[in-house]
Amino acid sequence: MSTSLDARQMVRDLERLVTCESPSHDVKATMRCADVLTDIAWRITGRRPEVVSRQDRPHLLWRFGGRTTVLLVGHLDTVWPLGTLDRWPFEVDGDLATGPGSFDMKAGLVQALHAVSTLTDLDGVTLLVTTDEELGSPTSRAWIEEQARGARAAFVLEASADGALKVQRKGVSLYEVIVGGRAAHAGLEPHKGVNAAVELAHQILAVQAFERDGTTVTPTVLSGGTTTNTVPAHAGFTVDVRAETVAEQARVDAAFAALRAHLPGASVEVKGGPNRPPLESSSSAELFARAVRLARQLGLPELRGVAVGGGSDGNFTAGVGVPTLDGMGAVGDHAHAEGEYIVISAMAERAALLAALIDDVRAG
């Protein structure tokens, strides 16, 4: 096992992961990437993972010894379809490396493995890597929560936000509002119909009113109607909700449940609900303070913490009461955008910080 961080080897490992494309929807592709990650981990740590299947989808678990004290959380799936490498290959330009999935979040996996390799004692360290995070973790959520319970800390290897650690994430709720009306001929007897499109408009305005400072309620996809000369009998829309606290998420959920039709004869049905609980600032405060102290001791740049709207698997670890610090992965930019990149020199710095945090948490 290595005792120091080799930035050049970290880049070579990153290249292997990035050049094995792993779009979330392609289970076979994620399995191929899981094999590559397993091979890299074997070389670095001398350990192979337990392969955990959930609904025929593989996830990886390295339990380095004993009951989990510190849980490291990452994912190897990306938003990029097979063939993206043909037009956008992995490239290194000075201190930057780019390629599909490099920033979100394959560099974080490399950093985690190299951080673990520098520890003389691995007791209590567990690394969990999923393959469906970009889909909302439908098969892995319960497993993540199960592995997290009882841990002293969870460090999420998602990419940083312009170098800042993510100390707060909004909770995510997803809804579908389905409106029923009654069809009629739009020219001959529209008065005999119940216009689902008009009811839809009332419901969108009602839902928009659920917003408060810090809570966003965003109608996204709308549908309805059949032909231009028919009063619509059916319509619907989906809604994305982001809330900073559990209480706010519950308030909005109750408001959706209380929706009622505005037009006589119309009906309203609501499906969905909270998808990810918030990662509240109270969940990360103590770990962030440790990170700031340790970064100073290591001579690293001053750390910043930010709140972000997007969710991650860190929402789940925080949701079961485990102190969680997110954004421990790559320094770079442009997640989910062509041209995403990582800063190579920061890889070793963030790996060293992660190793120091692991030891600090286990020391009490």
Side-chain angles (χ1 to χ4, degrees), residues 28 47 114 121 126 162 204-205 222 243 245 252 271 300 322 329 333 339 347 357:
K28 289 183 178 179
R47 306 291 183 90
H114 282 263
D121 176 14
T126 297
D162 193 24
I204 289 174
L205 292 174
L222 285 68
T245 66
V252 174
K271 295 182 178 180
L300 302 180
V322 177
D333 206 353
M347 292 183 74
L357 276 164

Side-chain angles (χ1 to χ4, degrees), residues 1-363:
M1 184 179 297
S2 169
T3 58
S4 62
L5 293 164
D6 182 342
R8 288 177 296 182
Q9 183 60 58
M10 294 176 83
V11 174
R12 288 193 290 268
D13 291 337
L14 177 61
E15 181 176 11
R16 288 191 64 193
L17 281 180
V18 172
T19 54
C20 184
E21 294 177 297
S22 51
S24 304
H25 288 285
D26 192 325
V27 175
K28 289 183 178 179
T30 63
M31 291 176 69
R32 289 193 295 269
C33 192
D35 289 340
V36 172
L37 184 63
T38 295
D39 185 59
I40 293 171
W42 171 252
R43 193 200 73 246
I44 296 173
T45 70
R47 306 291 183 90
R48 297 191 187 278
E50 175 188 356
V51 179
V52 178
S53 179
R54 291 290 186 273
Q55 299 176 35
D56 297 322
R57 178 177 283 272
H59 307 292
L60 305 178
L61 186 71
W62 282 266
R63 195 181 300 280
F64 291 106
R67 183 176 179 180
T68 301
T69 302
V70 176
L71 181 67
L72 310 179
V73 181
H75 66 89
L76 59 79
D77 59 311
T78 77
V79 298
W80 301 102
L82 291 179
T84 301
L85 281 169
D86 294 340
R87 69 172 188 275
W88 174 27
F90 179 84
E91 291 182 339
V92 174
D93 182 7
D95 195 32
L96 305 181
T98 185
S102 55
F103 182 59
D104 185 11
M105 57 151 284
K106 291 182 176 181
L109 298 177
V110 172
Q111 291 169 201
L113 289 170
H114 282 263
V116 167
S117 76
T118 66
L119 301 175
T120 57
D121 176 14
L122 294 177
D123 187 56
V125 179
T126 297
L127 170 62
L128 177 158
V129 179
T130 69
T131 63
D132 65 351
E133 193 274 345
E134 298 293 3
L135 302 177
S137 309
T139 73
S140 61
R141 174 179 179 169
W143 178 61
I144 293 167
E145 293 171 336
E146 175 188 335
Q147 297 303 319
R149 287 188 176 91
R152 294 182 191 171
F155 295 110
V156 183
L157 280 303
E158 290 282 359
S160 65
D162 193 24
L165 303 187
K166 296 170 180 177
V167 297
Q168 183 178 350
R169 283 187 182 272
K170 288 184 178 181
V172 181
S173 300
L174 302 173
Y175 295 92
E176 181 181 11
V177 180
I178 302 168
V179 176
R182 184 169 60 248
H185 195 292
L188 295 177
E189 46 190 16
H191 57 281
K192 291 186 177 181
V194 177
N195 197 315
V198 174
E199 182 63 44
L200 182 81
H202 284 291
Q203 295 301 320
I204 289 174
L205 292 174
V207 163
Q208 194 72 58
F210 299 163
E211 282 200 347
R212 286 183 181 173
D213 290 343
T215 299
T216 60
V217 181
T218 308
T220 52
V221 180
L222 285 68
S223 64
T226 54
T227 66
T228 58
N229 61 352
T230 302
V231 174
H234 303 284
F237 64 104
T238 60
V239 189
D240 179 294
V241 178
R242 308 286 168 132
E244 293 178 347
T245 66
V246 172
E248 262 299 277
Q249 196 173 43
R251 177 191 69 81
V252 174
D253 191 54
F256 268 94
L259 285 174
R260 297 292 182 268
H262 180 84
L263 300 178
S267 64
V268 174
E269 178 186 4
V270 177
K271 295 182 178 180
N275 172 263
R276 294 177 189 264
L279 194 171
E280 298 187 27
S281 58
S282 57
S283 296
S284 64
E286 194 271 338
L287 292 178
F288 181 66
R290 287 179 186 252
V292 169
R293 170 175 56 81
L294 291 169
R296 289 171 180 164
Q297 291 176 3
L298 292 168
L300 302 180
E302 189 75 12
L303 288 179
R304 296 178 295 111
V306 295
V308 296
S312 82
D313 288 335
N315 292 64
F316 300 142
T317 60
V320 296
V322 177
T324 299
L325 187 58
D326 206 333
M328 291 292 300
V331 174
D333 206 353
H334 302 327
H336 292 201
E338 192 152 329
E340 66 175 287
Y341 69 88
I342 64 108
V343 178
I344 294 170
S345 58
M347 292 183 74
E349 294 177 350
R350 290 300 166 95
L353 176 61
L354 178 61
L357 276 164
I358 293 170
D359 274 343
D360 198 59
V361 168
R362 291 186 302 168

